[in-house]
Amino acid sequence: SGNCFCTTKGITGDHCEKCDTQNHYFGDPIKESCFYDLAIDYQFTFNLSKPEDKHYTAINFKNVPTKPDVDVDFSITCSVPAKMNLTYRHSSKEGSRKEDLVLTEKNCSMFKFRFSKGDYTFGNEENTTFYVYVYDFQPPLWIVISFLSILSWISFSSSLHSQHASLPSSLLQPSCGKSNRNMTDTGGDRDFM
């Protein structure tokens, strides 16, 4: 038929020449690839278990930490064996864009890494943009991924503590038949296919 199966999630077209912008994948597959733009302080779950997902062997993500002067925690979990590379792009002292390799061929079954504000300049896309490349997997699989700014977690925990401190103790005790909702997420989960 002349059509091909694109092996990277988010790349579409009869000749794998465009990004699936309808599903929030952006970039240029001719020059590099397509990336899902991950918002900071959210946990994302990507489920590649549909029959039409069986030809995928790669998926790419992008994150721009928006808050300066805070550390960023990166976390990824893959349900099947897969490899991961992580790079960051930043402005060099000469003003050009530079991409540096941070991690290569890491097993992404469960991986965490902290980016220190002392080593990276956060705040906008010109300063630092992280790119995560997950590859060498065989669907079905799910991937859970997040970039969390540490200050937001501390602020969230502090505000949660101060909210609890102002409530009567009778409201903080579990009661029969009711479950306490886990209130430790920083922004909520977002599920994506």
Side-chain angles (χ1 to χ4, degrees):
S1 70
N3 292 349
C4 60
F5 287 110
C6 306
T7 58
T8 300
K9 175 81 173 162
I11 297 180
T12 62
D14 291 342
H15 303 286
C16 301
E17 76 281 3
K18 53 187 174 178
C19 293
D20 184 5
T21 56
Q22 184 177 355
N23 287 306
H24 310 287
Y25 290 87
F26 299 96
D28 184 347
I30 304 301
K31 291 182 182 176
E32 55 177 358
S33 195
C34 299
F35 300 87
Y36 189 94
D37 196 359
L38 301 169
I40 192 86
D41 297 328
Y42 283 92
Q43 176 176 295
F44 293 82
T45 301
F46 290 82
N47 182 353
L48 284 79
S49 59
K50 296 178 183 173
E52 60 267 25
D53 296 332
K54 68 182 179 193
H55 56 274
Y56 292 130
T57 60
I59 185 170
N60 303 315
F61 307 101
K62 170 185 169 183
N63 175 264
V64 179
T66 54
K67 298 174 185 161
D69 303 324
V70 297
D71 293 344
V72 173
D73 273 356
F74 167 69
S75 174
I76 189 167
T77 303
C78 299
S79 64
V80 301
K83 293 180 183 170
M84 173 194 64
N85 292 344
L86 192 145
T87 66
Y88 80 103
R89 291 184 193 161
H90 56 99
S91 297
S92 68
K93 292 178 181 171
E94 301 82 41
S96 62
R97 296 289 288 160
K98 182 178 176 187
E99 185 165 4
D100 291 328
L101 189 62
V102 178
L103 304 167
T104 183
E105 294 189 28
K106 287 289 183 188
N107 178 347
C108 86
S109 60
M110 183 177 245
F111 185 82
K112 294 183 179 194
F113 191 83
R114 177 163 289 173
F115 296 99
S116 168
K117 64 185 178 212
D119 298 331
Y120 299 88
T121 305
F122 303 135
N124 63 48
E125 192 165 352
E126 295 303 313
N127 291 339
T128 299
T129 303
F130 292 110
Y131 292 87
V132 180
Y133 304 85
V134 180
Y135 60 98
D136 278 355
F137 59 74
Q138 181 69 45
L141 85 150
W142 50 261
I143 298 169
V144 179
I145 186 170
S146 65
F147 283 87
L148 302 175
S149 53
I150 303 305
L151 185 60
S152 71
W153 171 246
I154 293 168
S155 298
F156 179 80
S157 296
S158 296
S159 68
L160 183 61
H161 178 70
S162 62
Q163 287 173 359
H164 279 329
S166 64
L167 294 174
S169 61
S170 61
L171 293 178
L172 296 176
Q173 301 300 318
S175 59
C176 289
K178 293 184 180 179
S179 63
N180 287 341
R181 184 171 171 252
N182 182 353
M183 299 179 71
T184 58
D185 67 34
T186 60
D189 289 341
R190 294 184 176 182
D191 294 323
F192 295 93
M193 302 286 183

